[in-house]
């Protein structure tokens, strides 16, 4: 019995050691860097990420992954990008209506998912950023998020042997600069492509939708696709959807960027890929279920001068849907869930 236990323990130890060795080997940067080929379906839109300006390499992505989960980029060393963008929730801040930052400060918006960023033209709920290479500077410097600065963040990691090795592997030398930090983070985000949902397998002829899912897709195309169009399920426009203005947060959406009254309470149409995982919903996380979102569009859209024309047709405010239609639409939306994306170890901490 004792011999059996000893052999079992030895076997488990050997197995664990092998797993650790394997993991460490995967984590090591390549001695000679290689281009990281971003693969995606042919029906996806054209990639907007400028790889000539910022080539995506395997070592660059690995550096970006480490920086994405690096708490020292924040003022008090506790908040990383991955703190508000959790992989198992399609890189959103699950369970938080509004995202929490340093010292448990609360921001004014719900953290959007990070996925398929290499195909987008604008970022953030108000579209203030047009270049993925510049996007991380917002959370790093925002007082309610990471509340730091690039010089401060660099000062904390510049003497770390790990980062010296990672920067040299990605850029050829150990020089750590703000530009390199931002570009490595954007390489990692550009690599985060979600394209293996049931819907994708259906598009590729590998799987069939159920009758309810098929009906939901038809209803979705009829009632929702004017805004959530294309294979990313967003037209990237900014629209006023009849949500009330919250005096506490004073967030008027696109208006904060343009100061144009016609942009009052307009927010970027979000992608619906992985929407099953990304609750709560809307720019301020006011709805915790997909049912609540659809109920809002049928019953609670507020009329206002900026209300999107799609929600004000034939003298009716909102979208006409009965309960059965809502359930069918939700069944279709769940076909956009990519389980491999939210569990892929190459995106994990």
């Amino acid at each position: 019995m004792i011999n059996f236990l000893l052999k079992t323990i030895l076997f488990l130890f050997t197995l664990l050691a092998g797993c650790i060795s394997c993991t460490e080997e995967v984590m090591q940067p390549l001695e000679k860097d290689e281009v990281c080929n971003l693969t995606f379906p042919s029906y996806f839109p054209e990639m907007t990420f400028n790889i000539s300006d910022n080539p995506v390499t395997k070592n660059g992505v690995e550096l970006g992954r480490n920086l994405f989960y690096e708490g020292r980029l924040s003022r008090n060393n506790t908040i990383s990008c991955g703190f508000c963008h959790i992989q198992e929730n399609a890189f959103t801040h699950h369970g938080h209506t509004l995202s929490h930052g340093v010292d448990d400060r609360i921001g004014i918006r719900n953290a959007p998912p990070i996925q398929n960023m290499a195909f987008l033209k604008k970022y953030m709920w108000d579209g203030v950023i047009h270049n993925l290479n510049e996007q991380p500077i917002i959370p790093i410097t925002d007082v309610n998020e990471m509340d730091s600065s690039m010089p401060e963040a660099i000062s904390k990691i510049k003497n770390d042997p790990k980062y010296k090795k990672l920067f040299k592997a990605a850029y050829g030398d150990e020089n750590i600069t703000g530009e390199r930090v931002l570009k490595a983070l954007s390489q990692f985000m550009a690599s985060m492509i979600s394209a293996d949902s049931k819907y994708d397998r259906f598009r590729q002829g590998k799987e069939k939708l159920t009758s309810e899912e098929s009906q939901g897709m038809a209803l979705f195309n009829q009632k929702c696709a004017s805004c959530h169009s294309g294979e990313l399920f967003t037209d990237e426009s900014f629209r006023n959807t009849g949500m009330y203005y919250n005096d506490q947060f004073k967030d008027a959406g696109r208006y904060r960027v343009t100061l144009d009254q016609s942009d009052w309470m307009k927010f970027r149409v979000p992608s619906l890929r992985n929407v099953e995982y990304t609750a709560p919903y809307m720019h301020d996380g006011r709805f915790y279920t997909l049912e609540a979102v659809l109920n809002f569009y049928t019953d609670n859209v507020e009329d206002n001068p900026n209300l999107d024309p799609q929600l004000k047709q034939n003298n009716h405010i909102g979208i006409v849907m009965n309960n059965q239609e809502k359930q069918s639409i939700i069944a279709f939306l769940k076909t956009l869930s990519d389980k491999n994306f939210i569990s892929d170890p190459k995106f994990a901490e």
Side-chain angles (χ1 to χ4, degrees):
M1 182 66 178
I2 294 175
N3 287 337
F4 174 77
L5 289 174
L6 288 173
K7 288 180 180 179
T8 302
I9 292 170
L10 180 62
F11 171 76
L12 291 173
F13 178 79
T14 304
L15 180 63
L16 178 60
C19 290
I20 293 173
S21 174
C22 178
T23 303
E24 288 178 344
E25 184 178 3
V26 172
M27 291 282 285
Q28 295 298 319
L30 300 173
E31 288 187 14
K32 185 176 181 181
D33 205 0
E34 297 177 3
V35 172
C36 182
N37 294 315
L38 303 180
T39 59
F40 50 91
S42 59
Y43 48 83
F44 259 44
E46 183 179 350
M47 191 168 67
T48 58
F49 186 74
N50 189 346
I51 56 175
S52 61
D53 175 59
N54 186 15
V56 181
T57 68
K58 293 184 178 180
N59 286 347
V61 169
E62 180 59 23
L63 169 59
R65 182 166 75 100
N66 278 266
L67 291 168
F68 187 84
Y69 292 104
E70 178 55 73
R72 285 175 291 178
L73 297 188
S74 69
R75 192 202 75 232
N76 62 1
N77 304 326
T78 63
I79 306 296
S80 67
C81 302
F83 178 82
C84 289
H85 297 281
I86 303 166
Q87 182 179 12
E88 65 189 63
N89 305 112
F91 296 95
T92 58
H93 205 180
H94 181 69
H96 294 273
T97 302
L98 304 170
S99 292
H100 293 229
V102 296
D103 303 325
D104 208 29
R105 295 175 186 168
I106 300 176
I108 63 172
R109 290 177 180 166
N110 178 259
I114 296 180
Q115 58 185 7
N116 300 326
M117 305 285 271
F119 306 95
L120 300 178
K121 301 180 181 69
K122 297 182 179 69
Y123 306 93
M124 318 294 280
W125 280 104
D126 54 20
V128 68
I129 297 295
H130 294 196
N131 187 330
L132 188 57
N133 295 330
E134 301 169 1
Q135 192 280 329
I137 199 67
I138 298 292
I140 289 174
T141 59
D142 188 279
V143 67
N144 291 319
E145 296 186 57
M146 300 167 83
D147 192 24
S148 186
S149 67
M150 197 55 70
E152 180 183 354
I154 290 172
S155 71
K156 296 177 185 178
I157 65 173
K158 67 180 181 181
N159 295 319
D160 187 323
K162 179 185 78 169
Y163 280 111
K164 286 184 177 182
K165 182 177 182 179
L166 288 170
F167 272 87
K168 184 174 183 179
Y171 294 110
D173 59 62
E174 296 178 354
N175 189 25
I176 299 177
T177 68
E179 180 182 15
R180 286 180 170 183
V181 169
L182 294 175
K183 285 191 170 182
L185 281 167
S186 63
Q187 284 187 50
F188 177 60
M189 289 189 288
S191 74
M192 297 162 74
I193 296 174
S194 177
D196 189 27
S197 64
K198 182 176 183 178
Y199 168 80
D200 291 298
R201 294 189 292 277
F202 163 74
R203 287 282 278 113
Q204 296 162 18
K206 299 176 181 178
E207 193 166 347
K208 292 183 178 180
L209 302 182
T210 66
S211 59
E212 184 180 30
E213 291 165 348
S214 296
Q215 184 180 13
M217 181 169 67
L219 289 166
F220 177 88
N221 289 333
Q222 176 188 348
K223 299 177 183 292
C224 313
S226 56
C227 301
H228 296 282
S229 59
E231 297 304 327
L232 301 185
F233 294 87
T234 172
D235 63 1
E236 292 195 75
S237 63
F238 300 90
R239 298 177 185 259
N240 181 312
T241 57
M243 290 184 285
Y244 65 83
Y245 175 71
N246 192 319
D247 287 318
Q248 179 183 355
F249 304 118
K250 295 179 170 54
D251 185 5
R254 183 71 172 162
Y255 174 81
R256 287 165 55 93
V257 176
T258 67
L259 299 181
D260 185 338
Q261 192 63 36
S262 66
D263 285 330
W264 181 264
M265 286 298 288
K266 287 185 178 179
F267 293 88
R268 189 168 64 88
V269 175
S271 169
L272 296 182
R273 281 185 171 268
N274 291 310
V275 71
E276 179 182 6
Y277 305 135
T278 61
Y281 305 107
M282 305 302 197
H283 69 280
D284 56 4
R286 65 181 65 190
F287 301 127
Y288 270 74
T289 66
L290 291 171
E291 286 84 357
V293 173
L294 295 185
N295 289 341
F296 163 77
Y297 280 117
T298 56
D299 303 324
N300 297 309
V301 173
E302 294 184 2
D303 192 10
N304 66 72
N306 278 355
L307 183 64
D308 193 271
Q310 295 292 336
L311 297 172
K312 194 175 183 178
Q313 297 186 28
N314 302 319
N315 296 318
H316 180 82
I317 303 299
I319 303 173
V320 177
M321 290 179 281
N322 61 39
N323 289 335
Q324 181 57 56
E325 289 175 329
K326 291 176 186 178
Q327 291 307 309
S328 295
I329 289 172
I330 290 172
F332 169 68
L333 291 176
K334 289 182 178 181
T335 71
L336 305 180
S337 301
D338 183 348
K339 292 182 180 179
N340 289 329
F341 177 70
I342 65 169
S343 60
D344 194 325
K346 69 173 177 282
F347 302 135
E349 184 171 3

